[in-house]
Amino acid sequence: MFKLKPLASAITLSLVTGIAVAAAPGGAILQNKVIATYSDIGGKTYTAESNIVEISIREVRTATLTITSGAEQQVAMIPSSKVYSVHTLTNNGNVSETFALAAANVTGGDDTLDASALKVYLDANGNGVLDGTEGATPITSTTLAAGASAKLIVESVLPAAVALSDKLNVTLDATDSKGTAAASTNTVKITFSNSNISYVPKTWAQVDGGNCHAYAWITGGGSWSVVNAAAATQMYNGKIGHLATITSAAENTFILNNVATYGTGGVWWIGAKRPTASAAFSTWVTGEAVSYTNWSSAQPDNASGIEDSMSFVGGTGKWNDLPGSSGLAYLIEFDTDCDLPKVAVELEGAKDIACDGAADEAFGTAKLADMYSGECAILRTRATNGGKSLAKGVDLHYSLPQYASYVAGSLTFDSAAKTDAADADVGKYDAALKKILVNTGDLAAGTTSPDAQFSVKID
């Protein structure tokens, strides 16, 4: 078998989102999460992500419609002629909106005349004149992004009869629209059993330079072929067993001292067999080449041309070849994985409407809905090592989402204030990258870091 080298460890937690550039649009979802990067004691690196805390921006729908020109006009009373007025529609809300447009005759008051026809056109170039193709197609609606404006030209067609004393009043109305969405979550859980043996194998631990594989010796064996098949029916920690394959002197020593401890009288089958009666032992049952060997003196000798199977001699750890039909106990190996760190990250949020650093509600992982520009949210995060070994150098990284800004000086760790600068304390804010970094240190298996907390402001 291959020997895995011992691992060294390192962990980093990142607070991640996007980049603030403009006012937050209504309906926008700001997703906040923390990413942890870490390594095991062998130097292999891993990544873990927290849950997402969402902040939704309340949709604000408001618009103004003003007359840009033509509010008061004097025109020739030419029957069936056309009179134009220019209007500016501005979307002052924070969401893109489609406005239904309707020009109408005003009745009552000093109005004595109604237009025979009313049409609305988009003044695409904004010069207040229907030119080019602008007057070809009237419109009944227009869509404006948040903060955008459009010039609209209302065309009023005079009736066939117009008197000197008549007055014509026309109005333009713009009506917005709104939609609503809903979501749900369903989860299915499946539980598996990963072992079918009653004995407890010995694990060659990573901290001892081992490969984390588990080994045992099994009595009541049989021929090499019988025990080889029997090993493949056993499972431990999700791994199917096989006859032990010994690929280094260190592994051989571990088995001798910790597994094959029956004494000099013990002899066990291990996992190699000659491919033909006279061939060399070249391949382990796992497919690995037999490169390391520890044969007894003058072995293997293939006595009588029938010693086709490999055995392990207790008390010495030496190997011998024997007839495969011999009835022996056997050494089994499970290629179990090393006990690695496994970091999970949790992120919670709470509203802080006044941006005074005090949460207005209990912290939770639910969406922080209906927040306006200028309001703040407090986010706090922590890392938990649910693995089976030390997680080294756990860093929490948080990148600001779009439409959010870091509240300077709000960073704390374990309830103690930290400076934003890159200095000796565990936290810093990188304004260029718009990222917060908190080093929580090493996390032992089964432990949780203190909370890292900071505030973000909706742009």
Side-chain angles (χ1 to χ4, degrees), residues 271-357:
K273 189 178 180 71
R274 298 180 192 272
T276 64
S278 59
F281 291 94
S282 59
T283 307
W284 295 104
V285 292
T286 55
E288 300 167 79
V290 176
S291 53
Y292 164 78
T293 59
N294 192 38
W295 295 107
S296 296
S297 178
Q299 300 299 324
D301 61 357
N302 197 15
S304 302
I306 60 171
E307 293 187 338
D308 60 354
S309 302
M310 190 184 292
S311 65
F312 184 98
V313 180
T316 66
K318 296 294 184 178
W319 305 356
N320 192 15
D321 58 341
L322 294 173
S325 59
S326 303
L328 299 177
Y330 61 98
L331 297 175
I332 191 170
E333 178 179 353
F334 300 93
D335 296 350
T336 50
D337 298 323
C338 289
D339 291 338
L340 301 174
K342 186 176 183 181
V343 173
V345 186
E346 184 179 17
L347 178 64
E348 298 177 306
K351 291 181 182 180
D352 174 14
I353 302 302
C355 295
D356 58 5

Side-chain angles (χ1 to χ4, degrees), residues 128-457:
V129 178
L130 283 182
D131 49 15
T133 60
E134 292 174 347
T137 306
I139 62 172
T140 58
S141 66
T142 189
T143 300
L144 296 178
S149 298
K151 279 193 175 180
L152 306 169
I153 298 179
V154 176
E155 178 187 83
S156 304
V157 181
L158 300 182
V162 181
L164 186 58
S165 57
D166 286 333
K167 290 191 176 181
L168 172 66
N169 294 329
V170 173
T171 188
L172 177 64
D173 294 322
T175 306
D176 64 15
S177 60
K178 181 180 180 181
T180 303
S184 63
T185 301
N186 298 284
T187 303
V188 176
K189 293 182 178 180
I190 303 174
T191 303
F192 299 93
S193 176
N194 66 358
S195 297
N196 65 357
I197 60 175
S198 57
Y199 56 89
V200 179
K202 297 283 188 178
T203 299
W204 189 19
Q206 184 181 12
V207 294
D208 296 329
N211 57 12
C212 303
H213 291 188
Y215 305 80
W217 67 271
I218 310 298
T219 59
S223 69
W224 189 94
S225 295
V226 166
V227 300
N228 184 51
T233 66
Q234 299 172 63
M235 175 181 283
Y236 177 67
N237 282 352
K239 302 295 183 179
I240 296 295
H242 58 76
L243 291 179
T245 60
I246 304 173
T247 60
S248 70
E251 185 177 14
N252 199 82
T253 298
F254 174 80
I255 292 173
L256 174 65
N257 294 336
N258 298 278
V259 184
T261 56
Y262 186 67
T264 55
V267 179
W268 295 270
W269 288 127
I270 54 177
K273 189 178 180 71
R274 298 180 192 272
T276 64
S278 59
F281 291 94
S282 59
T283 307
W284 295 104
V285 292
T286 55
E288 300 167 79
V290 176
S291 53
Y292 164 78
T293 59
N294 192 38
W295 295 107
S296 296
S297 178
Q299 300 299 324
D301 61 357
N302 197 15
S304 302
I306 60 171
E307 293 187 338
D308 60 354
S309 302
M310 190 184 292
S311 65
F312 184 98
V313 180
T316 66
K318 296 294 184 178
W319 305 356
N320 192 15
D321 58 341
L322 294 173
S325 59
S326 303
L328 299 177
Y330 61 98
L331 297 175
I332 191 170
E333 178 179 353
F334 300 93
D335 296 350
T336 50
D337 298 323
C338 289
D339 291 338
L340 301 174
K342 186 176 183 181
V343 173
V345 186
E346 184 179 17
L347 178 64
E348 298 177 306
K351 291 181 182 180
D352 174 14
I353 302 302
C355 295
D356 58 5
D360 299 332
E361 58 190 359
F363 282 88
T365 59
K367 179 188 298 184
L368 304 183
D370 297 337
M371 295 192 68
Y372 290 110
S373 293
E375 296 177 345
C376 292
I378 302 174
L379 300 175
R380 69 183 184 190
T381 183
R382 66 197 64 87
T384 299
N385 181 5
K388 298 181 179 180
S389 66
L390 182 70
K392 295 285 290 180
V394 180
D395 289 333
L396 296 171
H397 305 261
Y398 172 89
S399 296
L400 283 164
Q402 191 176 22
Y403 311 122
S405 301
Y406 171 65
V407 177
S410 64
L411 179 61
T412 66
F413 181 67
D414 199 12
S415 299
K418 303 300 173 185
T419 64
D420 295 340
D423 49 25
D425 70 27
V426 300
K428 69 175 181 179
Y429 172 62
D430 189 323
L433 297 178
K434 298 190 179 300
K435 179 181 286 189
I436 297 167
L437 172 66
V438 179
N439 180 268
T440 70
D442 296 345
L443 278 182
T447 62
T448 297
S449 72
D451 287 344
Q453 182 172 299
F454 53 93
S455 297
V456 295
K457 186 174 184 178

